[in-house]
Structure formats: C-alpha cells, structure tokens
Amino acid sequence: MTDHTGRAGLEKYELYAVSREFDALREQIRVPGVSSSLPDLVTASRQLATLTGLVKDLSDEILFRAVDEDPGIDFGPVIYAYTSAAVPAGRAMENYTEAYAQFGFLRRFADAPGSTDLDDARQAAFHVVQERMELVRDDLQEVSDILRGTADRLDGTPPRVLAALSRSARPPNSIYRLAVEQPAPGPVRLAYTPAPRHGR
C-alpha cells in the first residue's frame, strides 16, 4: 500500500508556492498615475512573459494531478482550486494584453509631431493602460486568494485516522480516499435449472 503520509502537506505547500508567485508578479505591476510612470516596453514584455508562464504553471499543476491514478488520493479539491484560479488568471492575461497593445501604440508614435488628434489618442491610450493594469492587479489577487484559501482549508488528517472516524465526522476537504472494503464472499448459490421433461 502506498504511504500517503504528508501528501496533504505537500499539496498545501504547492498551493501556497504558486499563490506567492502570483503575488510577486502583482507587486511588480503598478498602476501609473502619470504618463511618465508608464513601464517601458521591455518591462511590460517581461511582465507579460512572466504572466504567461504562470498561466502555464496552473495547467501543468492540473495535468500532473489529472493523470495521477493513485487510488488512495482524491485530487478533486486541489484540481478544482487550480481550475478555478485559471479563470481570473485568464482575465489577467486578457487585460494585460489590452494594455500591451497601448504600449505598442505609444511606442509607435512616441516621436511623432504633436497634434490635437494624436494628443487625444495618447491620452486615451494612457487611460486604457491605467484601467487595465488595475484590473490585472485585481485578477492576480483573486488567483492568489483562491489558491491560498484552498490551501488553508485542505485537511491533513492521516488516512489511518480517517478510517477510524465515522462517515459523518470525516472532513469533506480531505485529499485522502479510504480503500473500499470488498464484501466478504458468501456461499455460492447456483441458479435453479429445471430438469428437462421426458415424454411418457
């Protein structure tokens, strides 16, 4: 039988670790107050690449557990946390790429002669960046909250203790699955087959 001691602790650790990575990116992303505080295109590209990598990390975490066929472990709560977190992570990608397009626009016309129309377009681009960056930060916070919340609630009661608990007392957020006891074999009973009738 596989020793599952500490597996819940490992899952908690991994959930916390991934949430910290999203927190770290959120700390790097600022909502610019003025045009001069906009990140340059190199910084924005690096942040977008980091975000893309984190979204991939979520899918990797899911894939790793989805293919695990250990009968003693129920990865349902953990997988659900990662799939749920993928929703705000995807929104963060969408919002960042919207801002990213504006960075490209501002870079494209950075040296163009000023005009009323261009000045208005630059100001509109800046406002889009402000709005989208704020949304990205909110999205990243939601990802972290989902993962950390699941880790906080994940139960680490050892399988042997779970086996001793009544069904109603077992925590619903445990990743441990108890072995199904097979019913004891009973006496073999053959189906009744009537004897063939012979003619008189």
Side-chain angles (χ1 to χ4, degrees):
M1 179 178 177
T2 304
D3 182 9
H4 296 129
T5 303
R7 186 57 191 260
L10 290 174
E11 293 300 326
K12 280 175 173 279
Y13 175 84
E14 191 65 25
L15 286 162
Y16 286 133
V18 176
S19 72
R20 284 193 297 270
E21 291 180 3
F22 279 91
D23 287 338
L25 178 59
R26 184 176 183 273
E27 286 301 311
Q28 296 175 23
I29 296 173
R30 303 295 180 188
V31 179
V34 293
S35 298
S36 59
S37 63
L38 282 170
D40 58 38
L41 206 52
V42 172
T43 299
S45 296
R46 288 172 177 165
Q47 290 178 347
L48 182 56
T50 299
L51 178 54
T52 302
L54 290 178
V55 173
K56 181 181 182 299
D57 288 345
L58 286 178
S59 63
D60 287 344
E61 296 290 348
I62 295 164
L63 179 62
F64 174 74
R65 288 158 182 83
V67 299
D68 192 313
E69 298 180 352
D70 189 329
I73 298 291
D74 176 13
F75 288 111
V78 179
I79 290 175
Y80 183 62
Y82 287 122
T83 54
S84 298
V87 177
R91 286 200 303 265
M93 282 283 294
E94 178 185 359
N95 285 315
Y96 203 110
T97 53
E98 289 287 345
Y100 197 63
Q102 304 309 314
F103 291 137
F105 169 81
L106 293 171
R107 171 68 178 268
R108 168 70 177 81
F109 295 101
D111 299 324
S115 68
T116 301
D117 289 344
L118 183 56
D119 290 344
D120 288 346
R122 285 171 173 160
Q123 190 64 28
F126 173 71
H127 288 314
V128 170
V129 170
Q130 277 188 313
E131 178 186 12
R132 295 296 176 163
M133 287 304 197
E134 186 170 353
L135 290 173
V136 168
R137 285 176 54 84
D138 290 344
D139 294 332
L140 296 178
Q141 183 64 60
E142 186 176 348
V143 173
S144 181
D145 289 345
I146 290 171
L147 298 178
R148 187 173 289 108
T150 298
D152 290 343
R153 295 187 300 272
L154 202 64
D155 184 78
T157 305
R160 290 183 180 179
V161 176
L162 285 176
L165 296 174
S166 67
R167 185 172 299 275
S168 61
R170 291 173 191 160
N173 53 343
S174 174
I175 67 167
Y176 298 122
R177 183 184 286 122
L178 299 180
V180 178
E181 296 182 5
Q182 299 297 328
V188 177
R189 299 185 65 182
L190 300 176
Y192 172 72
T193 304
R197 295 186 177 183
H198 298 285
R200 294 182 180 179

